[in-house]
């Protein structure tokens, strides 16, 4: 009788333990499935670039370090079952400066003129154009990440649309200090191709401008000022 009672108790304990383990395994499995089903790479981003002017008129050159700063947020929308391929849609802000030898003058009627500075003509310590933009990056995103892996390779490529909220031109030299804001010849809508690639925190970032910085009204030596921008730098993604 005593032996039968012990066998009965042992059977209950074993059955309960097995059932609990099965339930726990199922709960873990369901949790993992839920996590993978909802896994995505919504990210804040921040970056710094070196800005290069291209399609420059003769004798226009850059001096010093022309820097760009960008930050924003990208919404990740996976398009495959593994969720490592996605479309990214973002919103951000950017500041870009260009140190160069192009002088921007403004007459009494508010018209702008552009010329190339020569060291033999005017001595100056600052000649910089800066733009401040709101940006809309649209990306095709590929990565080797999983729901549990936070260090991975990535390649994000796409197009970035930008709208110039404000711009400034600052000159300091022998003829004094000159400041212009919100140039009427500025091309307010600017866009270009982007590529970001790297591993974990460190990622190279490349931007190639598809349209010009200035509108067709900006002329230098009776030719359109068709300069555009290339930007090279680093971008960091933060979950």
């Amino acid at each position: 009788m005593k032996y039968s009672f012990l066998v009965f108790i042992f059977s209950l304990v074993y059955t309960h333990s097995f059932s609990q383990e099965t339930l726990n395994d199922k709960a873990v499995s369901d949790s993992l499935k839920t996590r993978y089903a909802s896994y995505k790479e919504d990210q804040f981003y921040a970056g710094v670039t070196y800005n290069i002017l291209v399609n420059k008129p003769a004798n226009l050159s850059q001096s010093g370090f022309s820097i760009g700063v960008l930050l924003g947020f990208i919404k990740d929308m996976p398009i495959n079952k593994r969720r490592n391929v996605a479309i990214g849609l973002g919103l951000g802000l950017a500041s870009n400066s260009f140190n160069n030898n192009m002088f921007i003058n403004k007459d009494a009627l508010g018209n702008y003129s552009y010329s190339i500075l020569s060291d033999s003509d005017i001595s100056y310590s600052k000649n910089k154009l800066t733009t401040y933009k709101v940006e809309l990056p649209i990306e095709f995103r590929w990565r080797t990440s999983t729901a549990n892996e936070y260090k991975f390779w990535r390649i994000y490529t796409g197009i970035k649309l930008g709208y110039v909220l404000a711009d400034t031109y600052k000159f300091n030299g022998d003829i004094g200090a000159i400041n212009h804001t919100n140039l009427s010849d500025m091309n307010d809508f600017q866009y270009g191709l982007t590529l970001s690639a790297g591993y974990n925190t460190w990622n190279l970032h490349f931007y190639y401008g598809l349209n010009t910085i200035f509108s067709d009204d900006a002329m230098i030596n009776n030719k359109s000022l068709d300069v555009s921008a290339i930007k090279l730098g680093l971008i960091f993604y933060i979950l």
Side-chain angles (χ1 to χ4, degrees):
M1 182 70 179
K2 184 177 180 181
Y3 176 76
S4 299
F5 178 75
L6 291 175
V7 170
F8 175 71
I9 295 298
F10 176 78
S11 298
L12 286 177
V13 171
Y14 178 79
T15 302
H16 175 75
S17 298
F18 180 78
S19 299
Q20 187 66 36
E21 183 177 348
T22 302
L23 288 173
N24 288 340
D25 289 344
K26 185 176 185 304
V28 171
S29 178
D30 290 344
S31 176
L32 287 174
K33 287 180 180 179
T34 301
R35 186 171 181 182
Y36 272 92
S38 61
Y39 158 67
K40 54 188 175 181
E41 289 286 334
D42 290 345
Q43 293 168 323
F44 290 97
Y45 67 87
V48 60
T49 61
Y50 175 67
N51 301 331
I52 304 169
L53 293 172
V54 294
N55 300 322
K56 298 177 295 185
N59 300 321
L60 194 157
S61 61
Q62 290 184 246
S63 59
F65 193 77
S66 298
I67 192 171
V69 177
L70 58 153
L71 56 89
F73 177 79
I74 292 185
K75 178 70 176 176
D76 190 78
M77 296 172 284
I79 58 176
N80 67 331
K81 185 175 181 180
R82 183 181 165 185
R83 304 178 74 82
N84 70 321
V85 178
I87 300 298
L89 181 62
L91 183 65
L93 296 171
S95 170
N96 292 285
S97 66
F98 300 91
N99 292 289
N100 60 87
N101 65 339
M102 182 176 68
F103 182 69
I104 302 177
N105 195 26
K106 184 179 180 180
D107 63 23
L109 298 177
N111 298 313
Y112 291 98
S113 61
Y114 305 83
S115 59
I116 303 300
L117 292 172
S118 171
D119 291 338
S120 60
D121 296 332
I122 300 175
S123 178
Y124 59 93
S125 58
K126 175 183 286 188
N127 192 65
K128 181 170 70 172
L129 175 69
T130 305
T131 62
Y132 305 92
K133 295 191 293 183
V134 58
E135 297 185 325
L136 178 68
I138 304 170
E139 299 179 342
F140 177 80
R141 319 179 99 201
W142 173 88
R143 63 256 177 164
T144 60
S145 65
T146 67
N148 298 316
E149 180 59 51
Y150 301 104
K151 294 182 179 181
F152 52 86
W153 291 96
R154 64 164 59 89
I155 299 176
Y156 298 163
T157 185
I159 189 168
K160 183 179 287 184
L161 311 177
Y163 184 80
V164 178
L165 298 174
D167 58 82
T168 62
Y169 168 76
K170 295 183 178 181
F171 172 90
N172 284 327
D174 290 345
I175 59 175
I178 297 174
N179 294 300
H180 302 316
T181 59
N182 299 326
L183 278 67
S184 59
D185 293 338
M186 181 65 61
N187 205 345
D188 291 335
F189 183 60
Q190 300 178 15
Y191 55 91
L193 301 176
T194 62
L195 174 65
S196 299
Y199 179 76
N200 194 21
T201 301
W202 296 94
N203 298 271
L204 297 176
H205 180 69
F206 173 76
Y207 171 91
Y208 180 84
L210 294 176
N211 69 332
T212 59
I213 295 174
F214 294 93
S215 69
D216 294 338
D217 294 331
M219 307 285 288
I220 187 167
N221 296 327
N222 296 318
K223 294 181 179 179
S224 294
L225 186 55
D226 294 331
V227 292
S228 56
I230 288 178
K231 304 169 190 176
L232 301 170
L234 295 173
I235 190 168
F236 307 92
Y237 295 99
I238 306 166
L239 290 174

